[in-house]
Amino acid sequence: MIVKPRIRGFVCITAHPKGCEAKVRQEIEVAKAAAATQKGGGGPKKVLVIGSSTGYGLSTRVAAAFTHEAATLGIFYERPSINGKPASAGWYNSVAFEKAAHEAGLYARSINGDAFSDEIKAQTIETIKADLGQVDLVVYSLASPRRTDPKTGETYKSVLKPIGEPFTNRTLDTDKDEVSEVTIEPASQEEIDQTVKVMGGEDWELWMDALDEAGVLAPGAKSVAYSYIGPEITWPVYTHGTIGQAKRDLERAAAAITETHDCAAHVAVNKAVVTQASSAIPVVPLYISILFKVMKAKGTHEDCIEQMLRLLDERLYGDDLRLDAEGRIRVDDWEMAPEVQQAVADIWPEITSETLNAKSDYLGYQNNFLALFGFGLPGVDYDEDVEVELDLPSAGQGKRRVC
Ligand code: NAD
């Protein structure tokens, strides 16, 4: 079929298989180029990535595989093609990743299902035992609006709200290309607690407990989960809001995991990038559009892959983690540089619907958003009839179809 973007608010309900492959291959080229400058030897060897199909998780997987030649097992929750409709972007990304990894002679296998469940944890452990023995790096990169607790069966929902008082600021209506004002009412205690249940550290700890108990965590393994801090303008809705509480709980979990297991667990604070998760946060797309303009002008612009290369090469497996006062790895350092933040703050009050394109890189934001779903990639013929039903090739030695 001929696949065109169909955007509904902050999601695109279609994805282009060849475009997603082109985007994954672009990231792979960046990771391969980084391999040339590697001192070698010290990177991850067998990596479990929980949330590996899009955004930061996918780029971590690409960096581990194509810079460090690591074997990777990816866990995600994606929609395969049903009744001739296109699959989700994460599905096509994973198909493309496995294809490229296998071409390069690398182990790559995937499990599609709810990472919060006991069943997927058990299936993952079984796969590690059969194929890898143990993993030496566990990446926790889930972004989910809900979580069902495997013990109680209760489902919790996360919300993006301020705490204590309402928050009013400018936001970007990407449907209408308009800058408008948004007011978000504060969360109830129940909503705060539920957000921590979904996006906090409890499930990360359950994963690490299960892996260690099953003997599939290599001695001295590392683990990392991702967080965000960002500028003061977004603090009420992010860092000081419900999601910020969940991110603080990740820091608690990192310390608990390091304490309980022979594993160094870290929270890495990454920069703001366009992903399916970040495009859903009020105010953030407008901030990202301005940030991109400032960082591109300065020559410090990075996307997920460049961030994850720095995280693995320079920090987790480099000479110095360069932890902040709270014990976190900071690869948002270039975003948070005072001159960058000052430049963004200077532009912020001047942004209107009329000045959006002149004063921000809204075009770059839009291109980035479309590329998440495989649209707008060079070399892809979008008028071509393409096969949308793509299987995930069996990974590793096994012939099992993993989906
Ligand atoms: P994303 O939406 O691109 O990726 C989320 C991943 O989680 C996907 O692979 C998806 O399949 C998987 N997933 C979601 N629910 C699942 C479930 N129930 N079971 C299995 N897999 C599931 O998100 P992202 O922006 O890459 O976010 C990843 C992490 O990085 C989050 O912790 C986020 O807060 C953090 N982070 C994001 C940004 C940003 O600007 N996007 C910045 C800093 C930190």
Side-chain angles (χ1 to χ4, degrees):
M1 73 187 280
I2 294 169
V3 190
K4 298 282 175 191
R6 287 174 60 199
I7 298 168
R8 302 278 180 273
F10 47 76
V11 286
C12 180
I13 58 170
T14 51
H16 198 282
K18 290 201 172 170
C20 288
E21 177 168 11
K23 172 113 188 341
V24 170
R25 295 225 177 230
Q26 274 183 351
E27 290 204 8
I28 289 172
E29 287 314 310
V30 178
K32 278 185 182 167
T37 61
Q38 273 298 297
K39 282 171 247 134
K45 300 279 174 278
K46 295 174 183 177
V47 183
L48 170 63
V49 184
I50 304 158
S52 66
S53 54
T54 54
Y56 274 123
L58 172 65
S59 298
T60 323
R61 191 178 194 187
V62 169
F66 288 92
T67 305
H68 298 280
E69 298 182 348
T72 59
L73 174 60
I75 316 298
F76 47 77
Y77 211 2
E78 297 293 345
R79 189 190 70 239
S81 166
I82 299 164
N83 301 330
K85 288 200 184 115
S88 60
W91 180 271
Y92 290 139
N93 290 341
S94 304
V95 170
F97 174 85
E98 284 200 9
K99 188 173 149 196
H102 294 158
E103 279 168 11
L106 297 169
Y107 173 96
R109 194 160 180 169
S110 304
I111 295 173
N112 187 32
D114 183 5
F116 296 126
S117 70
D118 286 344
E119 291 73 23
I120 291 298
K121 290 182 177 75
Q123 201 181 325
T124 304
I125 286 166
E126 201 187 296
T127 306
I128 298 172
K129 276 187 181 165
D131 295 356
L132 300 169
Q134 291 185 320
V135 288
D136 49 72
L137 173 64
V138 179
V139 178
Y140 190 83
S141 186
L142 294 184
S144 174
R146 69 187 66 81
R147 168 180 172 224
T148 300
D149 185 318
K151 304 284 175 281
T152 63
E154 200 171 328
T155 299
Y156 300 92
K157 286 186 183 153
S158 66
V159 294
L160 287 157
K161 289 190 177 181
I163 294 172
E165 51 191 63
F167 169 63
T168 300
N169 212 321
R170 281 149 197 251
T171 195
L172 190 51
D173 183 333
T174 47
D175 273 346
K176 297 185 189 147
D177 302 338
E178 272 176 17
V179 178
S180 56
E181 211 168 71
V182 66
T183 297
I184 311 162
E185 293 303 319
S188 64
Q189 190 56 48
E190 173 69 11
E191 287 175 315
I192 300 169
D193 295 344
Q194 292 218 13
T195 305
V196 173
K197 263 286 198 188
V198 179
M199 287 296 286
E202 187 178 85
D203 182 61
W204 185 21
E205 287 179 280
L206 289 176
W207 268 101
M208 300 309 291
D209 291 348
L211 294 167
D212 198 10
E213 205 169 295
V216 296
L217 197 58
K222 295 177 199 272
S223 185
V224 65
Y226 299 141
S227 185
Y228 182 63
I229 294 177
E232 279 185 44
I233 32 171
T234 63
W235 283 1
V237 71
Y238 198 97
T239 299
H240 293 164
T242 47
I243 185 76
Q245 293 288 320
K247 294 299 185 189
R248 264 187 286 287
D249 190 60
L250 272 186
E251 292 167 25
R252 175 204 58 73
I257 292 165
T258 304
E259 177 78 27
T260 326
H261 306 286
D262 181 9
C263 174
H266 295 283
V267 167
V269 183
N270 303 341
K271 88 175 268 275
V273 289
V274 186
T275 67
Q276 294 182 38
S278 69
S279 46
I281 307 173
V283 188
V284 167
L286 182 57
Y287 166 72
I288 290 180
S289 301
I290 302 173
L291 180 75
F292 278 15
K293 175 129 184 142
V294 171
M295 293 186 81
K296 281 178 184 174
K298 226 178 147 338
T300 56
H301 176 74
E302 293 176 302
D303 208 339
C304 291
I305 186 65
E306 290 83 7
Q307 278 273 290
M308 294 302 95
L309 287 168
R310 277 212 290 138
L311 175 66
L312 294 188
D313 305 348
E314 293 178 15
R315 306 297 176 85
L316 273 180
Y317 295 92
D319 299 333
D320 189 358
L321 288 164
R322 283 189 258 159
L323 301 179
D324 69 8
E326 321 288 329
R328 300 169 296 208
I329 300 173
R330 304 294 297 267
V331 278
D332 66 340
D333 46 354
W334 297 353
E335 170 185 357
M336 299 312 288
E339 65 278 14
V340 170
Q341 286 303 313
Q342 188 56 53
V344 173
D346 291 344
I347 295 171
W348 189 261
E350 298 171 358
I351 276 280
T352 61
S353 306
E354 290 68 41
T355 60
L356 186 56
N357 280 313
K359 297 214 175 261
S360 85
D361 185 26
Y362 181 45
L363 189 63
Y365 177 90
Q366 287 171 306
N367 290 341
N368 230 301
F369 179 79
L370 282 172
L372 295 179
F373 304 92
F375 296 107
L377 273 295
V380 177
D381 179 359
Y382 289 98
D383 295 319
E384 185 197 11
D385 213 334
V386 287
E387 177 58 72
V388 293
E389 281 191 30
L390 301 187
D391 274 352
L392 265 179
S394 60
Q397 311 98 311
K399 286 287 167 223
R400 188 171 68 183
R401 179 172 176 259
V402 260
C403 67

